[in-house]
Each structure stands twice: as C-alpha cells, then as structure tokens.
C-alpha cells in the first residue's frame, strides 16, 4: 500500500511539477507523506513501530553515539576543538539559552518579513506575466536571472542601501524568494484546464473574471509549493546576510563564534537555525492544509 | 523560417527592451543620486553602469583568472556532489532499507540552512581549496539525490512490466528505462544546485582565502568608495558565474535529454 502511494505521488508530481524550482521541496513533502503514511493508517496497532520510523531513528542515534565517542575524530583525524562533541554543543546551548532564543527570533523575523514581501512581489510579477504575456514574460526572465545571482553578491549591496537593520536582510531575502514564487505562480496561472477556459469564454467572462475564478484558484497549489521552497531559501538568505554586516542574529553569532574558535556555540547556532527552519516549514505546511483542502495532493 | 522570426519578435525583442529599459533607469537613478539628491556614497550605492563596464573591461584578465579559480573549484565540488547524489538515488531506488534510512535525513537536511555551515566547515578544514569543494559538493548532493530518485520512480509502470515480461535483466531495466526517465529529474536537480554551488564557493572565499572572486569582492568592499567600481565589477562577475552555471546545465540538458516537452518547437503538452 505504501509502495503504491509513493509511485502515484511521484508520477503526479512528475507530470505537473516539471518546474526547475518546484522540484526539490515537492519531493520533500512527498517524502514526509511517504514516511508517515503508516501513522495515519488506523488499522495498524503499533503504528510507531514501522521500519520507516524506527530505522532512521536508530541510524540517527548511532550517528550521535559515534560522534560523542569520537569515532569520527579518529577516522578523519580531527581535534575536539575543530568538531565539538554533541554534549559540548548541548552545554553551549544551555548556557546561552536566552541569547540564542532572542537571536533566533530576530533571524526568523527577518526571514518571514523578507519572504512575505518577496512572495508578494513574485506573485504580482506572475500576474503581470500572465495578463500581458508578450511584455510581462520578459520580467519573468529577468527575475530568473536575479535568482541566479549569488546571495553573497547581493548581500553587501543591500547592506549599503538599507544599513544595519532588519531592512537589509529582509531585502536580501526578498530578492532570493521572488523568483521561485514568480515562476511557480506563473506556471499555475498558465496551466489552466483549456476546457474551463472555453467555458469561461462561452459565459462571456472578461479577463478579470477569468483571473478571479480560474487562474488564481488554479495557481494556489503552486503558490504553496513556492512558499515551502522559500522557507528554506529565506532562512539561508537571512543567515548569510548576517555574516556580512550585522550586530544581531544567528548568522552574526555563528560567524563570530567561529572566528573566536568557540565552535560549540557556532554549532548550537546551526542547530537552532535548523529547528527554526523546520518550524517555519511546518507552519507553512499547516496553512497549505487549511487553504487548499480541496486539492488532490492534500487528500489522504 | 517564419517560426524563427516570430520567436525573435515575441520573445527576444521584449527581453531586449526590458534589459535596455532597466539599464536606462539604473543610469538615470545613479545620476539623480549623485547630482540631484546628493546622497552620501552615491556611487557606492548605485554606480554608473558605463563606469562599471569600463572597470570590468580594464581588469578583465584579473577578474577572469579569479573567476576561473572560483568556477573551477565550484565545478569540482559540483561534480563530486552530483556523482554522490546519483549514487545515493540509485541505492535508494534499489533498496527500500536504504531509502528508509536516508530519505528522512535528506528531507531534514533540506531545511537546515546549508550555506550557514560554510564558516563551520571552513573552521574544521582550514583549507580554502578543500572547504570550497566540500561546500559545493554538499550543496549539490541533496537536490540531485532527491530529484534523481523522483525521476527513477516516475517511470511508466506498464513499461516496467513490459520489460519484465521480456525477461530483461535488472541492469537492462535501469540502463534502458529508468536512467532515461530519470534524466529530466536529474537535470532539474542539477539546475537548482549549480548556482548554489557557485554561491557556496564564493561564500567560503569571503571567510578568508587567497584566490577567487570573493576575495577581491571583500577587499574592494573594505577599501571603500575609491574602489566602488571594482567592487561592483566583482559582484557582476559573481552574478555572471551563477547565471553561466545555470545556463551551462540547461545546455547540457538540451543535449542529453532533448525529448522533453519544453524543448519542442511548439510547447508539447500545452
């Protein structure tokens, strides 16, 4: 049964989401549903005891053990100050808990603000590109080119423009999240069912009505895919932006603690960034469930 | 021939108008910042385009050399990461156990800000060359593995059954059916990873290295307003490297998997 879901899901995504950017996280989402599909199955009494949960859990624990007992250090010839032990990381996290928590909040705020602005811009670009294909299409190409610009090249410029505040990082995140949204939303708006389009024409619906009732609705699943991609991208953008020119935030603390050789603190920044990223992703996924309940990818 | 001319009119002309319009607006805003609003550091914030272009031309040999160093290292890491990703994807498609072991971690690693690891890896390795390659490879690895797996899985079930009924050996199924079917997925992974690999390489260079475009970028940023054109040229080179890597992957995709709908003269599925 599990096997079946996997194949159906993947083929579904392969037929619709051939888009460059939509690929990675779509499969991510797909993977999660594959892994936990045993849990949703009410017929199985020991639903936690299926190999899809137990195996990776055991592997993770084994990995941490090997790390804690310095097997990796011996294999790769590393010193403890180069790769701190998990216990040291946990201790560093406990000692600096309130500082780390406030910095995580700061970075997350930057990421969320930038993602909202960037996604809004991307959506507007997609609207324009669909409404006026001939001239709007060019803007899509420009946005895709902007996406290929490395964040590290954007970051110093944004710092010059917006100074050392939440603004400059939000701007970096905006620039990095715009393209995924524009490209995905455009795909959703243009890949409407031709029969539905014909029906709208036969009702003498104008362009605004077609957009309102057909295209925007059709783009919603793609929009949420873009949101999910952008959660990761925006965390990366915010953290990398903080490497350059900042006085607060996880990225600042990370690069600083590596500079002064406080590796456990640096690692705890990474751990917190990962946790924050996962929470951010889960929130978006929750919203997706609420907003596009009707879509086939959301049905069990 | 007619199809070609409509392509020129409908696709290329608007793009050129966009680009020239953007450059004109840029030049105008730059002039306005410098002469009308007299913003401090006006040229650092938005320099004249022609000055940047002139600097780009003047120092082209240096920029080309350093850019080449970055691109080469990113490329090596990219190839290693891509090979490892393909290997993992094949293993995952062969064995359910490997998939159950690796997939959750592959998914989780997508949510870790991977570029954030750059200073840590640099701190461990303390060698610019190796850490650049590691970061580029690490970034490439997961998108490639996930997309390749998706591709390997997306084969037509009747086709697999047909091959089974013809008593095809497993490697024949892989070689003749699954790999060709996985190519589009592989390339979408590679296209995500290629610009990121360049970004990762530049990021490591910014942490402190001897060669590469990131080193000159940082140096010129610290020298302040007098080096602003050079700084913008390095930014431009970094951007071009990112775009070039993406473009290169698209070109390879066109050569290796030319049957996809988006390469047909009239958009196949639409």
């Amino acid at each position: 049964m599990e096997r079946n879901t996997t194949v159906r899901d993947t083929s579904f995504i392969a037929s619709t989401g051939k888009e460059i950017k939509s690929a990675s996280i779509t499969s991510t989402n797909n993977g999660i549903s594959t892994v936990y599909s045993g849990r949703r199955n009410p017929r199985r009494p020991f639903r936690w005891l299926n190999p899809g949960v137990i195996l990776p859990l055991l592997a993770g624990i084994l990995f941490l053990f090997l790390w804690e007992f310095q097997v990796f250090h011996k294999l790769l010839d590393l010193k403890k100050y180069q790769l701190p032990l998990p216990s040291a990381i946990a201790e560093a996290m406990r000692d600096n808990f309130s500082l780390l928590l406030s910095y995580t909040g700061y970075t997350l705020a930057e990421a969320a603000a930038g993602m909202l602005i960037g996604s809004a811009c991307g959506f507007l670009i997609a609207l324009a590109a669909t409404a006026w294909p001939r001239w709007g299409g060019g803007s899509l190409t420009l946005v895709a080119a902007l996406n290929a610009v490395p964040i590290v090249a954007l970051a110093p410029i944004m710092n010059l423009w917006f100074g050392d505040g939440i603004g400059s990082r939000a701007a970096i995140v905006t620039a990095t999240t715009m393209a995924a949204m524009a490209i995905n939303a455009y795909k959703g708006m243009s890949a409407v069912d031709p029969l539905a389009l014909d029906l709208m024409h036969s009702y003498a619906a104008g362009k605004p009505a077609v957009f309102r009732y057909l295209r925007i609705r059709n783009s919603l699943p793609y929009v949420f895919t873009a949101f999910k991609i952008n959660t990761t991208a925006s965390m990366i953008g915010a953290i990398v932006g903080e490497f350059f020119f900042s006085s607060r935030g996880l990225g600042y603390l990370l690069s600083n603690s590596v500079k002064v050789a406080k590796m456990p603190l640096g690692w705890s920044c990474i751990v917190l960034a990962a946790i924050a990223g996962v929470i951010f992703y889960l929130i978006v996924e929750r919203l997706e469930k609420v907003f596009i309940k009707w879509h086939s990818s959301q049905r069990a | 021939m007619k199809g070609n001319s409509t392509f020129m009119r409908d696709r290329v002309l608007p793009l050129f108008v966009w680009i020239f319009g953007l450059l004109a607006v840029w030049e105008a805003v730059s002039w306005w910042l410098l002469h009308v609003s007299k913003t401090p550091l006006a040229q650092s914030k938005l320099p004249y385009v022609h000055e940047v272009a002139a600097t780009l031309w003047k120092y082209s040999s240096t920029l080309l050399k350093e850019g080449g160093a970055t691109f080469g290292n990113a490329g090596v890491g990219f190839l290693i990461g891509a090979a490892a990703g393909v290997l993992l994807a094949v293993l995952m498609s062969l064995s359910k156990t490997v998939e159950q072991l690796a997939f959750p971690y592959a998914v989780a690693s997508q949510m870790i800000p991977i570029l954030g690891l750059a200073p840590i890896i640099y701190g461990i390795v303390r060698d610019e060359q190796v850490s650049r390659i590691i970061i580029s490879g690490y970034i490439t690895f997961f998108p490639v593995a996930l997309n390749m797996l998706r591709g390997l899985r997306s084969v037509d079930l009747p086709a697999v059954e047909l091959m089974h009924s013809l008593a095809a050996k497993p490697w024949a199924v892989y070689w003749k059916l699954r790999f060709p079917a996985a190519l589009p997925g592989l390339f979408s992974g590679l296209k995500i990873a290629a610009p990121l690999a360049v970004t990762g390489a530049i990021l490591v260079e910014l942490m402190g290295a001897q060669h590469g475009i990131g080193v000159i970028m940082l140096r010129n940023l610290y020298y302040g307003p007098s080096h602003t054109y050079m700084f913008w040229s390095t930014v431009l080179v970094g951007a071009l490297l990112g775009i070039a890597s993406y473009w290169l992957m698209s070109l390879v995709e066109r050569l290796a998997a030319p049957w996809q709908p988006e390469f047909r003269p009239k958009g196949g599925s639409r």
Side-chain angles (χ1 to χ4, degrees), chain A residues 71-92:
Chain A
V71 178
F72 293 127
H73 295 73
K74 283 189 191 108
L75 277 181
L76 301 170
D77 191 27
L78 291 168
K79 301 282 175 296
K80 247 193 269 181
Y81 59 83
Q82 285 175 313
L83 181 66
L85 300 176
S87 53
I89 297 169
E91 196 182 328

Side-chain angles (χ1 to χ4, degrees), chain B residues 63-75 129 132 201 205 211-213 241:
Chain B
L63 289 170
L64 210 63
K65 201 180 105 224
E66 304 293 335
T70 305
F71 204 62
N73 285 318
Q129 199 88 8
R132 256 185 301 199
E205 284 160 9
H211 293 287
I213 202 77
L241 285 181

Side-chain angles (χ1 to χ4, degrees), chain A residues 103-182:
Chain A
Y103 278 5
T104 310
Y106 184 72
T107 303
L108 205 55
E110 290 170 350
M115 185 181 95
L116 287 180
I117 301 170
S119 300
C121 293
F123 192 76
L124 288 180
I125 289 170
L127 271 182
T130 323
W132 303 283
R134 191 160 169 217
W135 292 100
S139 65
L140 222 54
T141 318
L142 287 186
V143 172
L146 178 69
N147 191 42
V149 175
I151 314 172
V152 277
L154 283 173
I157 296 172
M158 294 300 173
N159 284 333
L160 278 174
W161 286 356
F162 297 101
D164 173 30
I166 202 163
S168 77
R169 255 84 60 194
I172 295 165
V173 176
T174 302
T176 51
T177 53
M178 207 154 40
M181 178 55 88

Side-chain angles (χ1 to χ4, degrees), chain A residues 47-81:
Chain A
R47 46 203 179 182
W48 279 102
L49 284 178
N50 80 31
V53 180
I54 292 290
L55 265 181
L57 218 61
L58 283 180
I61 292 169
L62 183 71
F63 183 79
L64 281 181
F65 259 100
L66 290 182
W67 187 354
E68 180 69 41
F69 292 106
Q70 305 184 20
V71 178
F72 293 127
H73 295 73
K74 283 189 191 108
L75 277 181
L76 301 170
D77 191 27
L78 291 168
K79 301 282 175 296
K80 247 193 269 181
Y81 59 83

Side-chain angles (χ1 to χ4, degrees), chain B residues 127-186:
Chain B
D127 180 287
E128 46 165 312
Q129 199 88 8
V130 176
S131 49
R132 256 185 301 199
I133 290 174
I134 289 179
I135 280 282
S136 303
Y138 192 70
I139 286 173
T140 315
F141 180 68
F142 288 107
V144 169
L146 289 174
N147 283 297
M148 178 87 184
L149 179 67
R150 184 168 61 85
L152 286 172
R153 282 279 161 76
S154 71
V155 287
D156 251 353
L157 279 182
V160 180
E161 280 159 17
L162 177 67
M163 291 208 66
H164 277 301
S165 71
L166 294 174
K169 297 232 162 24
W171 65 264
V173 175
Y174 264 85
W175 185 244
K176 295 195 172 136
L177 187 64
R178 288 198 191 262
F179 277 123
L183 277 182
L186 172 66

